Amino acid sequence: MIRRIFYSVPLLTLSMASFAAPQLSQYTAIRVQKANELALKEQFQPAIQVLDSIESSREYDTAYVERMLGVFYWQAGNAKQAISHLSQAVNSHQLEDEAGWATERMLADLLMTHQEYQQAIPHYRQLTKNVPQGKKVDEVWMRLAQAHYQLEQWPEVLSTLTQYQKYQPINKVPTLSLKLGAEMALERWKAAIPTLEALISLEPDKFSWWRQLVGLQLQTKQYGKALDTLALAKLKKFPLKDSDLRLLAQLYAQRGIPERAAMVLGELPDANSDIKLITQQAVYWQQAKEWDSAIESWQLAAKHDSKYQWNLAELLLQQGQYQSAIAALEQVKDADKQRQVLLAKARAHYKLDNLDKALVEAKQAHNIKHSEESENWIKFLTNLRKTQQGVDS
């Protein structure tokens, strides 16, 4: 959505000296002076009536009166009439130099204020030419960029800001925001990154800039920088959403820091109730070789769903906790895993020196499906038991 921009309109200064301009007839000058005196007392309607009563065949007089009518109508709060009279003054091409430039500037600003952006653009373009000494043309380029922005004319926004940059650096939030909006709309992701970085330096407490920067860094596959940005945002205690924390965990894991990934997931409100989060934490802890934490996570997962008893049992076996592993294996209900479960139990019993139980488990596994693995276990355990029996006898 395009953000509307509101503008202040500079009041044209109608000095007493301007009434005596050599181009203005004495007849018109007297009435203009009277109208100005009324306007200074904020009697705008009487001042307008005085100007409306002027009848002159001189083009300059007419243009001058139209300009004053535009100013007074604006002061009286009638923008529509102000725009109409100022347009007539500008289109007459009778007002020159500073007076003409200031009149066209007021007309352009009024059009902008009332969202007549397309009509304002040619006036701002004209204002950038033959600028009177002492007038700030950078403001005109800025307004022109804003008009193009409102019309979603993105290339024109950037080209106009390039002209603006000849007079002023683009180092303030309004100009940087315009630049960023155009770059994002044109999908110039790499160009938008330094723009966002500049905005963050100006408004470091605005989290939306940080979130956008992370998005652009991901878009340009700068995953390490995205991690650094999001981690710093977390360090600054910005209110990260659950999606931000999930992304941060993913980035930590991608960089090869699974323990940090697990810790970040653990901060989520449903870290101990969402089975996907629980199992992901378990995987991260296991990758980090934090065995105790991994076991705790698999135990919690198994409480939610018995299918994770197998993952728990595997890790318990690996860590030499054979009795606990057997208990976990007893809870595995998956029929497709029964042969693997029996072989795992055979291994656990063997480690606990329960050769008879181990052999029974191995034979049951072999009965389910003959395999080289189960056959080897049976041969190994049978020979070992014979050896032990021979020693005992």
Side-chain angles (χ1 to χ4, degrees), residues 199-201 203-211 214 228-242 244-245 248 267:
L199 282 165
I200 288 174
S201 69
E203 294 185 333
D205 295 329
K206 188 172 180 179
F207 183 45
S208 59
W209 298 140
W210 292 77
R211 182 175 276 119
V214 171
D228 294 340
T229 301
L230 195 52
L232 183 57
K234 185 176 184 296
L235 188 64
K236 288 179 172 290
K237 301 189 183 302
F238 282 117
L240 299 186
K241 296 181 179 179
D242 288 1
D244 296 321
L245 291 173
L248 180 58
E267 296 179 28

Side-chain angles (χ1 to χ4, degrees), residues 149-393:
Y149 182 92
Q150 297 295 347
L151 294 170
E152 300 184 36
Q153 297 170 344
W154 309 120
E156 288 80 0
V157 172
L158 294 178
S159 62
T160 303
L161 286 175
T162 299
Q163 294 298 320
Y164 170 86
Q165 201 167 13
K166 293 179 180 179
Y167 303 91
Q168 293 287 345
I170 299 179
N171 60 0
K172 294 183 179 179
V173 171
T175 45
L176 286 167
S177 296
L178 289 177
K179 189 169 185 282
L180 176 65
E183 289 167 339
M184 294 289 284
L186 293 170
E187 298 185 359
R188 298 183 182 180
W189 313 128
K190 288 185 178 180
I193 287 175
T195 306
L196 266 172
E197 289 172 340
L199 282 165
I200 288 174
S201 69
L202 292 172
E203 294 185 333
D205 295 329
K206 188 172 180 179
F207 183 45
S208 59
W209 298 140
W210 292 77
R211 182 175 276 119
Q212 283 190 69
L213 180 57
V214 171
L216 287 179
Q217 288 166 334
L218 292 174
Q219 186 72 35
T220 54
K221 299 183 179 180
Q222 300 180 48
Y223 303 117
K225 289 185 177 180
L227 171 59
D228 294 340
T229 301
L230 195 52
L232 183 57
K234 185 176 184 296
L235 188 64
K236 288 179 172 290
K237 301 189 183 302
F238 282 117
L240 299 186
K241 296 181 179 179
D242 288 1
S243 58
D244 296 321
L245 291 173
R246 289 172 187 264
L247 173 59
L248 180 58
Q250 183 181 345
L251 291 170
Y252 271 128
Q254 192 175 31
R255 187 180 275 189
I257 316 175
E259 65 273 18
R260 295 293 301 173
M263 291 171 66
V264 170
L265 287 184
E267 296 179 28
L268 291 167
D270 51 353
N272 294 323
S273 57
D274 185 318
I275 189 63
K276 288 184 178 180
L277 281 178
I278 296 168
T279 55
Q280 190 60 68
Q281 288 177 78
V283 169
Y284 287 152
W285 285 126
Q286 208 160 327
Q287 290 174 349
K289 299 182 180 180
E290 296 287 346
W291 309 120
D292 290 344
S293 296
I295 288 170
E296 287 180 13
S297 292
W298 285 125
Q299 286 173 333
L300 183 58
K303 288 180 181 178
H304 286 78
D305 191 333
S306 62
K307 72 179 183 180
Y308 295 110
Q309 293 284 358
W310 173 250
N311 303 80
L312 172 60
E314 282 190 309
L315 187 54
L316 289 168
L317 280 171
Q318 175 189 308
Q319 293 306 111
Q321 299 183 34
Y322 303 115
Q323 201 63 57
S324 297
I326 292 171
L329 289 166
E330 294 287 352
Q331 301 301 316
V332 178
K333 306 303 181 184
D334 187 350
D336 293 336
K337 284 193 181 308
Q338 284 310 302
R339 190 181 69 85
Q340 293 172 272
V341 167
L342 289 167
L343 288 174
K345 289 168 71 176
R347 178 186 168 192
H349 284 302
Y350 160 69
K351 290 292 186 178
L352 292 170
D353 205 25
N354 296 326
L355 299 184
D356 290 339
K357 289 184 178 180
L359 185 57
V360 169
E361 303 289 0
K363 287 180 178 180
Q364 287 182 353
H366 196 63
N367 289 335
I368 293 174
K369 182 179 179 181
H370 289 201
S371 69
E372 185 178 352
E373 183 182 9
S374 57
E375 190 173 344
N376 288 338
W377 266 110
I378 292 171
K379 289 179 179 179
F380 171 72
L381 291 168
T382 300
N383 290 332
L384 184 61
R385 190 173 63 166
K386 287 179 179 179
T387 301
Q388 283 191 353
Q389 287 174 347
V391 171
D392 293 340
S393 62

